[in-house]
Amino acid sequence: MMMVPNKIFLLLLQFFTLLYLFTITFASTEEATALLKWKSTFKNQNNSLLASWKPSSGACNDWYGVSCINGRVNTLNITNSSIFGTLYDFPFSSLPFLEYLNLSMNNLSGTIPPEIGNLTNLVYLDLNANQISGTIPTQIGSLVKLQILRIFDNHLNGPIPEEIGYLRSLTKLSSGGNFLNGSIPASLGNLNNLSFLYLYLNQLSGPIPSELGNLKNLYGLELSANQLSGPIPRELGNLKSLNFVQLSSNQLSGPIPSELGNLKNLNHLVLYNNQLSGPIPSVLGNLKNLSDLVLSYNQLTGSIPSSFGNLRNMQTLFLGNNNLIEEIPSSICNLTSLKILHLFRNNLKGQILQCLGNMSGFQILTMSHNNLTGEFPSSICNLSSLKVLDLSRNNLKGAIPQCFGNMSSHLEVLDMQHNNLSGTLPTTFRIGSALRSFNLHGNKLEGKIPRSLENCQQLEVLDLGDNLLNDTFPMWLGTLPELRVLSLRLNKLHGSIRTLGSENMYPELRLLDLSSNALTGKLPTSLFQHFRAMRKIDPSKKAPSDDEDGYYQNSIAIVTKGMELEVVRILFLYTTIDLSNNKFEGHIPSMIGELIALRVLNLSHNGLQGPIPQSLGSLSSVESVDLSGNHLVGEIPAQFASLTSLEVLNLSYNHLEGCIPQGNQFHTFENNSYEDNDGLRGFPLSKGCGYDGHDSASEKTYAGSALDEESNSEFLNDFWKAALMGYGTGLCIGLSIKYILISTGNMKWLERIVEELGHKIMMARRKKQRRQRNYRRRNNRF
């Protein structure tokens, strides 16, 4: 009798097993169909990675990126699969068991549909590195099981929804690299399990919510590159688990909270490029695990805390561009792990610490733009790992230690421009030198340029200008294959420039400044022929020789457009030849016209003779040409009228004659461009062109447009009206003048009055435009 119930039980078991298998099979088929429908909307139907998505194959076992549990789709991981499509037809309602969704690094566009709230079992959502736009839907707050939300590097805009504060399971929120705006919602302070909050590179504004101080498990806080304002909340000092805080490039103000000294596990504190003020809290010296402290580009005052000497794990210390005062504390020398020290652009005083030479790990040391005094410590030569040394614009004196030449095997940048250094240059530059930039501009150095610089085969920038060097032109520097910038201006160079027999001299040179020396002879045609880099326009406009990590930027003083400017980056735009204020003679070589990349050409204040070469009209990129103060003769080449980039032209104090070319940029030049050239005629000078029958075609067009026959006719009509409106003697005078005009038929003197009046009006407008351009130019960083 017991056999019957057992059989019934077995039959029921088999029935329910078959029913379960049928159910999951049907469900799996429904999910597969929904996914295939979404795939059919892709713009690239021949996607090889998704070729396995076919109705004839099993979604759970055979489809790329699809995983199932009990026959239901649990995971969809098709990151970096070259998908071109949208989420509009994604089967949000057909995948109720989906827990893991990764669609990152594709080409998804459009918006995030609100139906995403149907994925209530979702634990992981990654849509990063797509082209998704629109707002974050509030329905995302329904994903209560979500632990990781990665939507960074898209085109999302609008506010961060308050509803994200409902995601109590969230451990990582990353929405950086979008266009999100509005304030950071205080509801984020409810995310008790949050470990990482990344909202960087958006347009978020307003204060940092103090409620973030409730995130006890927060490990990383990244809010940089927004428009956040107000103070740094003191409540952040409660986050004892914090490892890194990145709040840079905002508009934060007020002091650095001393409560940050409670963050014993902090490894990185990055607050640069804000408006923080007040002294640096000495309690930051308690952060024994701190390896990176970046406080540059703020308004911090006071001295560098001596407590920083406790930070034995510190590797990078950035305090540049503040208002720090007093001497550098000797306790800095305790930071034996320090690799990078930035103290530039402060008001620090005193001497450079001798003990810095004991910090063997130093790689980058910048102390420029301070008030440091005293002699340069030779102990710096012990820094065998040093790559960048920038001590420019201080008040250092004395000689440069000869041991500096021995450092060239590892030293890449040496910048000590604008100090009071004296003596001679180091002469011991070694073969295999790593030196790329060598700048001693604006000191009192004497003697000759050391021949051992030939060993610096990687040298790109050499600026020894504004010293007392007494030498001939170092043609041998032309063997340096990477040299891009050579400035020897304002020295005592003498003699003629003689080229060597080599065919490959100065192949990469883009800036040559030999101005204000005593060089003689003819301009070196054979030297110009070697300048291959000036013969082509590089569309990349790369700034060579700047430090790859952005820790150092070359700065070179050049004279361009009549002004001396400090060019902070040696841009390709500033391709320059400046040989002014020397004693060169002879003709201007016509081959200079082949250097089409030139932006600045200055040959002024020499003894140059002959005509201006017509070939200079080929310098299509030139912005400034100064040939003043020579003995040039002949006419201004008509080809100059085609130089549409020309902003400054100075041909004054020569012996030029003939008509000034008209059109394009020539309508913007004023009298001082042509001063003391008695033979020149035409606009803008008072001597007109065309009154003797020799006016140029361009000037005829220009003058004719102002006073043609129709204008004369209109003037006669107006004149009659004015005469008839007079009475008494006024009528007689008016009729008398009219009779003279008609009888003689000569209205040239009247045209001259009208032309001069029009010229004055035009010049007033151009002066205003020029002032506006100069204002904008002065406000640009070079």
Side-chain angles (χ1 to χ4, degrees):
M1 296 292 295
M2 294 295 295
M3 296 292 292
V4 175
N6 288 337
K7 288 182 179 180
I8 295 174
F9 174 77
L10 290 173
L11 288 172
L12 290 174
L13 181 62
Q14 291 174 354
F15 171 77
F16 284 113
T17 301
L18 290 172
L19 180 63
Y20 171 75
L21 292 174
F22 173 79
T23 302
I24 63 174
T25 302
F26 176 79
S28 179
T29 303
E30 181 186 11
E31 293 173 345
T33 302
L35 287 172
L36 286 173
K37 181 181 178 182
W38 177 52
K39 180 192 173 187
S40 69
T41 65
F42 295 171
K43 296 178 182 179
N44 53 334
Q45 289 296 309
N46 298 323
N47 190 316
S48 59
L49 288 174
L50 300 184
S52 59
W53 286 28
K54 299 177 180 178
S56 58
S57 58
C60 292
N61 298 320
D62 302 325
W63 284 16
Y64 173 80
V66 178
S67 300
C68 300
I69 295 179
N70 296 327
R72 309 302 297 269
V73 175
N74 170 266
T75 297
L76 184 58
N77 184 3
I78 47 177
T79 180
N80 199 18
S81 299
S82 301
I83 296 174
F84 288 80
T86 70
L87 295 174
Y88 298 140
D89 291 297
F90 186 87
F92 294 109
S93 301
S94 302
L95 302 174
F97 295 94
L98 190 64
E99 295 183 356
Y100 185 100
L101 178 58
N102 190 345
L103 304 178
S104 63
M105 293 184 286
N106 283 292
N107 287 280
L108 296 173
S109 57
T111 61
I112 301 175
E115 289 80 7
I116 197 169
N118 295 331
L119 300 176
T120 53
N121 284 308
L122 205 60
V123 174
Y124 182 99
L125 175 59
D126 193 344
L127 302 176
N128 88 78
N130 281 286
Q131 300 173 31
I132 299 171
S133 58
T135 59
I136 302 172
T138 58
Q139 289 81 357
I140 208 163
S142 302
L143 309 180
V144 293
K145 294 183 180 180
L146 197 63
Q147 296 178 12
I148 295 177
L149 176 57
R150 291 160 51 91
I151 51 177
F152 61 91
D153 289 351
N154 278 286
H155 304 298
L156 296 169
N157 54 46
I160 300 172
E162 290 273 353
E163 288 78 2
I164 288 184
Y166 300 157
L167 307 179
R168 299 300 181 90
S169 298
L170 206 61
T171 61
K172 185 169 186 177
L173 172 58
S174 181
S175 61
N178 283 288
F179 300 95
L180 301 174
N181 54 36
S183 59
I184 299 174
S187 62
L188 296 187
N190 300 328
L191 305 177
N192 296 327
N193 292 305
L194 199 65
S195 297
F196 297 93
L197 179 57
Y198 294 164
L199 305 177
Y200 61 90
L201 203 59
N202 279 289
Q203 298 171 7
L204 300 171
S205 58
I208 299 174
S210 59
E211 287 81 0
L212 296 186
N214 300 329
L215 305 177
K216 305 297 184 182
N217 293 306
L218 199 63
Y219 183 85
L221 178 62
E222 231 286 24
L223 307 179
S224 63
N226 280 286
Q227 300 166 20
L228 300 172
S229 58
I232 299 173
R234 298 181 180 276
E235 290 79 2
L236 294 185
N238 300 330
L239 307 180
K240 302 298 176 61
S241 299
L242 268 181
N243 179 268
F244 64 91
V245 175
Q246 165 67 283
L247 307 178
S248 63
S249 297
N250 280 288
Q251 300 167 19
L252 300 173
S253 58
I256 299 173
S258 59
E259 286 80 0
L260 296 184
N262 300 329
L263 305 178
K264 305 298 183 183
N265 292 312
L266 200 62
N267 194 259
H268 310 275
L269 178 58
V270 182
L271 307 177
Y272 74 89
N273 197 19
N274 278 288
Q275 300 167 20
L276 301 173
S277 57
I280 301 173
S282 61
V283 292
L284 296 185
N286 300 331
L287 305 178
K288 302 293 181 65
N289 292 311
L290 202 62
S291 64
D292 301 299
L293 178 59
V294 185
L295 306 179
S296 303
Y297 295 95
N298 279 288
Q299 300 165 17
L300 300 172
T301 56
S303 59
I304 300 172
S306 59
S307 61
F308 278 9
N310 301 325
L311 305 176
R312 302 299 178 95
N313 292 312
M314 183 74 72
Q315 296 186 23
T316 57
L317 178 57
F318 289 31
L319 303 178
N321 215 312
N322 281 288
N323 298 309
L324 301 176
I325 59 174
E326 304 300 335
E327 298 184 0
I328 301 170
S330 58
S331 60
I332 288 290
C333 295
N334 297 334
L335 308 182
T336 54
S337 299
L338 198 62
K339 295 180 179 179
I340 302 173
L341 177 60
H342 279 321
L343 301 178
F344 60 87
R345 292 186 184 274
N346 280 288
N347 297 307
L348 299 171
K349 63 180 183 179
Q351 299 187 358
I352 298 175
L353 298 170
Q354 284 276 356
C355 59
L356 291 178
N358 301 326
M359 304 173 70
S360 58
F362 249 144
Q363 296 180 7
I364 298 173
L365 176 59
T366 65
M367 298 182 177
S368 65
H369 296 82
N370 279 288
N371 297 313
L372 300 175
T373 56
E375 296 190 359
F376 192 82
S378 59
S379 62
I380 297 295
C381 295
N382 299 329
L383 300 177
S384 57
S385 299
L386 195 63
K387 294 182 179 181
V388 176
L389 178 60
D390 185 0
L391 304 174
S392 61
R393 299 182 185 274
N394 281 286
N395 295 308
L396 301 174
K397 63 180 182 179
I400 302 173
Q402 283 294 319
C403 60
F404 261 62
N406 301 330
M407 297 179 68
S408 62
S409 60
H410 53 84
L411 192 65
E412 299 177 12
V413 174
L414 177 58
D415 190 347
M416 292 193 289
Q417 63 176 300
H418 295 286
N419 280 283
N420 293 309
L421 301 172
S422 57
T424 59
L425 292 166
T427 59
T428 55
F429 296 96
R430 295 180 174 180
I431 295 176
S433 167
L435 200 61
R436 292 187 292 113
S437 181
F438 187 29
N439 195 333
L440 296 175
H441 186 106
N443 283 285
K444 300 175 181 177
L445 299 169
E446 302 174 323
K448 296 184 180 298
I449 300 170
R451 193 71 186 240
S452 61
L453 281 173
E454 275 185 312
N455 297 327
C456 303
Q457 291 291 299
Q458 299 183 47
L459 193 63
E460 297 178 358
V461 177
L462 177 60
D463 188 350
L464 304 177
D466 198 4
N467 279 285
L468 304 172
L469 299 174
N470 192 340
D471 204 347
T472 57
F473 177 71
M475 180 59 69
W476 44 268
L477 285 174
T479 61
L480 300 179
E482 303 297 330
L483 191 63
R484 290 164 164 82
V485 176
L486 176 59
S487 177
L488 302 174
R489 63 193 295 252
L490 286 164
N491 276 287
K492 298 180 179 180
L493 299 185
H494 53 84
S496 60
I497 297 178
R498 299 178 181 177
T499 56
L500 301 177
S502 173
E503 296 183 357
N504 192 25
M505 301 289 289
Y506 296 104
E508 295 296 325
L509 197 66
R510 290 169 169 82
L511 192 156
L512 175 65
D513 191 347
L514 305 178
S515 60
S516 301
N517 280 285
L519 296 168
T520 58
K522 296 182 178 181
L523 291 178
T525 302
S526 56
L527 176 63
F528 299 145
Q529 290 173 342
H530 290 298
F531 294 165
R532 292 187 309 188
M534 297 189 190
R535 292 172 177 263
K536 55 187 178 181
I537 298 175
D538 184 357
S540 69
K541 297 178 183 178
K542 179 184 177 184
S545 76
D546 284 345
D547 179 68
E548 293 179 357
D549 298 321
Y551 295 130
Y552 173 80
Q553 291 182 336
N554 285 294
S555 62
I556 301 291
I558 65 171
V559 175
T560 175
K561 305 173 187 177
M563 298 180 292
E564 180 171 318
L565 301 173
E566 182 183 358
V567 181
V568 177
R569 293 174 65 83
I570 309 305
L571 295 175
F572 188 81
L573 290 173
Y574 285 91
T575 306
T576 299
I577 292 178
D578 191 345
L579 304 180
S580 61
N581 291 287
N582 279 284
K583 299 178 181 179
F584 290 113
E585 57 188 12
H587 289 207
I588 299 175
S590 61
M591 68 82 45
I592 291 180
E594 300 175 17
L595 307 180
I596 59 173
L598 270 180
R599 299 286 174 143
V600 178
L601 175 63
N602 192 346
L603 304 178
S604 64
H605 301 288
N606 281 286
L608 301 174
Q609 304 165 343
I612 300 173
Q614 295 181 358
S615 62
L616 297 189
S618 301
L619 301 178
S620 58
S621 298
V622 75
E623 297 176 6
S624 177
V625 173
D626 191 346
L627 306 179
S628 63
N630 283 287
H631 306 297
L632 301 174
V633 297
E635 297 187 351
I636 302 173
Q639 292 84 349
F640 273 35
S642 64
L643 300 179
T644 55
S645 297
L646 191 61
E647 295 184 21
V648 173
L649 175 66
N650 192 348
L651 303 177
S652 61
Y653 298 97
N654 280 287
H655 306 296
L656 300 172
E657 58 186 7
C659 291
I660 297 171
Q662 297 300 311
N664 293 326
Q665 300 300 99
F666 274 84
H667 287 166
T668 68
F669 301 142
E670 302 179 8
N671 291 34
N672 56 8
S673 292
Y674 313 104
E675 189 176 355
D676 204 18
N677 284 277
D678 293 337
L680 284 178
R681 305 185 306 278
F683 178 83
L685 301 180
S686 58
K687 293 181 181 180
C689 236
Y691 307 132
D692 55 1
H694 300 294
D695 52 334
S696 65
S698 61
E699 189 165 21
K700 282 181 181 178
T701 302
Y702 176 72
S705 64
L707 285 170
D708 54 15
E709 291 182 0
E710 182 178 357
S711 299
N712 288 336
S713 176
E714 292 176 357
F715 177 80
L716 290 175
N717 290 333
D718 292 338
F719 194 90
W720 274 113
K721 292 177 183 178
L724 292 174
M725 290 174 64
Y727 58 89
T729 57
L731 177 61
C732 296
I733 294 172
L735 292 175
S736 300
I737 293 173
K738 183 61 185 174
Y739 172 78
I740 295 171
L741 290 174
I742 294 175
S743 62
T744 62
N746 183 6
M747 296 183 63
K748 294 293 185 180
W749 66 275
L750 191 58
E751 291 180 5
R752 181 69 173 273
I753 292 173
V754 174
E755 183 179 13
E756 289 182 358
L757 180 60
H759 168 61
K760 290 180 180 179
I761 295 173
M762 185 180 299
M763 290 308 300
R765 290 176 179 172
R766 286 174 185 154
K767 285 182 179 179
K768 181 178 180 181
Q769 293 172 352
R770 189 180 297 274
R771 286 197 300 269
Q772 291 173 339
R773 286 199 302 270
N774 288 337
Y775 176 80
R776 290 193 296 267
R777 196 176 298 124
R778 285 195 300 270
N779 282 276
N780 286 331
R781 283 289 304 274
F782 286 86

